[in-house]
Amino acid sequence: MKDLVSEVIKTPVVKKLESLVSKYSKVGDSLFFDNEQFPWASELETNWLVIRKELEQVLQHTHALPNFQDIMPRQQRISPDDGWKTYYFYAFGFTAKKNCERCPETWKLLQQIPGLKAAFFSILAPGKHIPEHRGKHKGLIRYHLGLIVPEPRAACRIRIGDRIAYWEEGKSLFFDDTFPHEVWNDTEGYRAVLFLDIARPLRFPLSVVNWLVNQILSLSPLVQEAKSNHKTWENRFEKVLQERG
């Protein structure tokens, strides 16, 4: 299957967008961003225990959750094992309705976020390492809300560019994932965050170009394949819940 995402990212229009980000970005162009630049983050932090409570219900079925590469096979290159579990709410126009119904408060909060493009619980098993990689689209910004962060702190970390960051429970972390980054959970516990991709706030006319690129991505074979894979997992998960019910 031809990866339309890669083709879109390689187009002259998108390359031009990348080169103009520093000029048109409303939040600058850096490794990390401040919470104050994204006012909606305070609402997530205020309600982080509400979100964590719903996450804990999900974690009762950790082994039945899909691996990242089960939903997006091309991620096999950075995570070929079962150490990175996911629980999707939304991705480029696709809403995982049953998942949202199981976590209604989390979904209610997510629906208030402007420019939301993807949202899921990202769960790393003890000892999990995600090797260096980078995103392809500078029109997105990555967000993590720490929900479960095991100790010791120094053993659970993310490197972005040449800087190391540590998750904190109930705290936000914004960064540009087009910089090389790498993740370690060298602890004996699970690490879980609310993982979001949001459209980078840009001034006109780049805002329109970015909107168009994201629309194209939502129609790409990659996203359609992920949607199909998620539905397959969802049907299987429903049977697991019925058997345990």
Side-chain angles (χ1 to χ4, degrees):
M1 180 184 294
K2 189 175 182 180
D3 186 349
L4 182 59
V5 173
S6 294
E7 295 303 313
V8 170
I9 299 302
K10 293 176 183 177
T11 62
V13 171
V14 175
K15 287 185 177 180
K16 185 65 174 178
L17 183 153
E18 304 278 293
S19 68
L20 293 174
V21 160
S22 60
K23 179 179 179 181
Y24 286 87
S25 175
K26 294 182 179 180
V27 294
D29 182 21
S30 58
L31 289 175
F32 297 97
F33 303 92
D34 296 327
N35 286 15
E36 292 72 20
Q37 296 174 294
F38 302 92
W40 50 264
S42 63
E43 188 72 10
L44 292 184
E45 290 188 348
T46 298
N47 290 278
W48 83 274
L49 286 173
V50 173
I51 299 171
R52 174 167 163 160
K53 184 177 180 180
E54 293 187 334
L55 166 67
E56 289 170 345
Q57 295 298 313
V58 170
L59 290 178
Q60 293 180 16
H61 312 285
T62 301
H63 296 296
L65 297 178
N67 302 311
F68 197 13
Q69 71 274 17
D70 294 339
I71 304 299
M72 300 185 67
R74 74 170 185 161
Q75 301 303 336
Q76 181 85 17
R77 61 192 172 84
I78 61 171
S79 186
D81 55 26
D82 62 354
W84 189 357
K85 297 290 186 177
T86 62
Y87 185 86
Y88 272 87
F89 295 99
Y90 179 81
F92 288 93
F94 169 67
T95 302
K97 293 182 180 179
K98 291 183 179 179
N99 281 4
C100 294
E101 289 171 358
R102 296 186 196 101
C103 301
E105 297 305 317
T106 300
W107 178 231
K108 187 184 302 181
L109 290 163
L110 291 173
Q111 289 176 283
Q112 299 173 23
I113 298 174
L116 181 68
K117 298 303 175 185
F120 61 94
F121 288 141
S122 174
I123 304 157
L124 298 186
K128 178 62 177 175
H129 170 237
I130 302 174
E132 181 179 291
H133 60 290
R134 64 181 295 272
K136 295 181 178 180
H137 182 25
K138 199 139 180 105
L140 298 174
I141 287 176
R142 179 68 43 82
Y143 171 82
H144 289 174
L145 174 67
L147 297 174
I148 298 176
V149 184
E151 294 287 347
R153 169 179 167 142
C156 192
R157 62 202 184 279
I158 181 170
R159 176 184 61 79
I160 304 164
D162 60 355
R163 294 175 59 186
I164 299 290
Y166 304 92
W167 297 280
E168 295 183 53
E169 293 182 354
K171 300 298 181 182
S172 300
L173 177 66
F174 287 94
F175 62 96
D176 183 338
D177 85 317
T178 64
F179 289 96
H181 54 286
E182 187 173 7
V183 177
W184 297 264
N185 178 16
D186 294 328
T187 75
E188 297 180 358
Y190 278 90
R191 186 238 60 180
V193 302
L194 178 64
F195 179 119
L196 310 181
D197 276 334
I198 59 169
R200 181 189 289 264
L202 295 164
R203 289 189 292 275
F204 182 84
L206 242 61
S207 56
V208 176
V209 176
N210 197 33
W211 177 86
L212 180 59
V213 170
N214 286 323
Q215 289 299 110
I216 293 173
L217 293 180
S218 70
L219 299 173
S220 71
L222 182 72
V223 171
Q224 297 308 310
E225 181 183 25
K227 179 179 177 179
S228 176
N229 290 340
H230 190 277
K231 287 185 175 180
T232 298
W233 167 79
E234 192 172 66
N235 291 334
R236 188 166 59 245
F237 190 55
E238 282 297 311
K239 293 179 181 179
V240 169
L241 294 180
Q242 290 173 9
E243 291 172 357
R244 295 181 181 179

